[in-house]
């Protein structure tokens, strides 16, 4: 991940939107590399949990309805977030990324590799459950196109998820369609 973030910062410029930043681990790494980062997450407590950084601006919001101006960021980083959305939510979030991104910008998204939907219990709640959606690559390409993005590059990587299980992750580097 560190190498991937480094490479993403190398090929992009301007403010980075970390969409679904969690406790800002990736946002802080980008900030340490000299980038201004807007870290958006739906859970304010997560945004407050990590170490603060002067270049990271935490914003509690839904990535499907971003409180950001159009063309206001040069890059969007969205790691392990869109896997919690059905196709409609995913296209809505991507549409928001497209709106806030400059026309020459890149978006990097990562989701679990697979196909289908699953629901898992939450360790700290009997009321809420975690919903996971996985999409085959062809379907992802179509959803990205529906939102106005083309796939510049795609690859996979093995990484542990938040539960410690090693997963195959599908990564896509997106550019706005002309
Ligand atoms: C698995 S964590 C990934 C966190 C971080 N991107 C990382 O890679 O470490 C998923 C994050 O997405 C956030 N999230 C899920 N749906 C969201 C939404 N619609 N709007 C904003 N944040 C959302 C969750 O609150 C959680 O912090």
């Amino acid at each position: 991940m560190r190498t991937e973030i480094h490479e993403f910062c190398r090929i992009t410029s301007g403010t980075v939107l970390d969409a679904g930043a969690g406790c800002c681990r990736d946002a802080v790494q980008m900030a340490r590399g000299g980038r201004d980062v807007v870290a958006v997450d739906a859970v304010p407590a997560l945004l407050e949990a990590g170490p603060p950084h002067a270049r990271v601006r935490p914003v509690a919001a839904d990535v499907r309805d971003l409180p950001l101006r159009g063309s206001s960021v040069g890059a969007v980083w969205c790691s392990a977030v869109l896997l919690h959305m059905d196709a409609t939510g995913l296209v809505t979030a991507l549409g928001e990324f497209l709106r806030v991104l400059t026309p020459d910008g890149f978006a990097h998204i990562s989701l679990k590799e697979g196909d289908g939907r699953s629901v898992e219990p939450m360790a700290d709640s009997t009321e809420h459950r975690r919903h996971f959606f996985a999409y085959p690559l062809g379907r992802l390409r179509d959803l990205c196109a529906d939102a106005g993005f083309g796939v510049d590059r795609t690859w996979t990587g093995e990484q542990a998820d938040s539960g410690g299980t090693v997963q195959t992750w599908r990564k896509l580097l997106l550019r706005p369609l002309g």
Side-chain angles (χ1 to χ4, degrees):
M1 277 292 271
R2 293 184 77 84
T3 315
E4 236 160 46
I5 291 171
H6 183 77
E7 175 61 12
F8 182 68
C9 288
R10 192 187 66 75
I11 64 165
T12 62
S13 59
T15 298
V16 181
L17 163 64
D18 186 354
C23 58
C24 297
R25 176 200 59 192
D26 297 348
V28 166
Q29 186 187 329
M30 292 183 214
R32 286 186 180 140
R35 297 296 282 275
D36 291 323
V37 184
V38 181
V40 170
D41 202 279
V43 182
L46 283 176
L47 291 171
E48 289 158 15
H53 191 290
R55 283 181 173 268
V56 176
R57 180 162 70 92
V59 176
D62 191 322
V63 299
R64 295 166 296 184
D65 185 17
L66 291 166
L68 302 177
R69 279 183 293 108
S71 302
S72 60
V73 303
V76 179
W77 177 261
C78 184
S79 168
V81 178
L82 299 175
L83 76 175
H84 295 303
M85 294 180 195
D86 63 14
T88 304
L90 188 147
V91 172
T92 304
L94 288 178
E96 278 294 86
F97 299 168
L98 186 76
R99 181 182 66 77
V100 301
L101 192 60
T102 52
D104 59 348
F106 283 101
H108 178 292
I109 64 173
S110 66
L111 303 91
K112 280 183 189 175
E113 181 93 316
D115 185 8
R117 176 181 183 166
S118 62
V119 183
E120 291 181 10
M122 294 185 75
D124 55 354
S125 171
T126 50
E127 188 187 345
H128 301 292
R129 295 183 299 164
R130 298 206 302 167
H131 296 260
F132 291 91
F133 298 84
Y135 304 92
L137 181 56
R139 174 93 168 115
L140 270 180
R141 285 185 189 277
D142 289 346
L143 295 172
C144 290
D146 288 349
F149 276 112
V151 178
D152 192 77
R153 199 163 77 79
T154 180
W155 65 102
T156 57
E158 305 284 315
Q159 274 157 236
D161 66 11
S162 53
T165 309
V166 174
Q167 302 276 350
T168 301
W169 292 85
R170 168 63 56 187
K171 325 279 179 97
L172 299 104
L173 187 66
L174 309 178
R175 298 207 78 162
L177 289 167

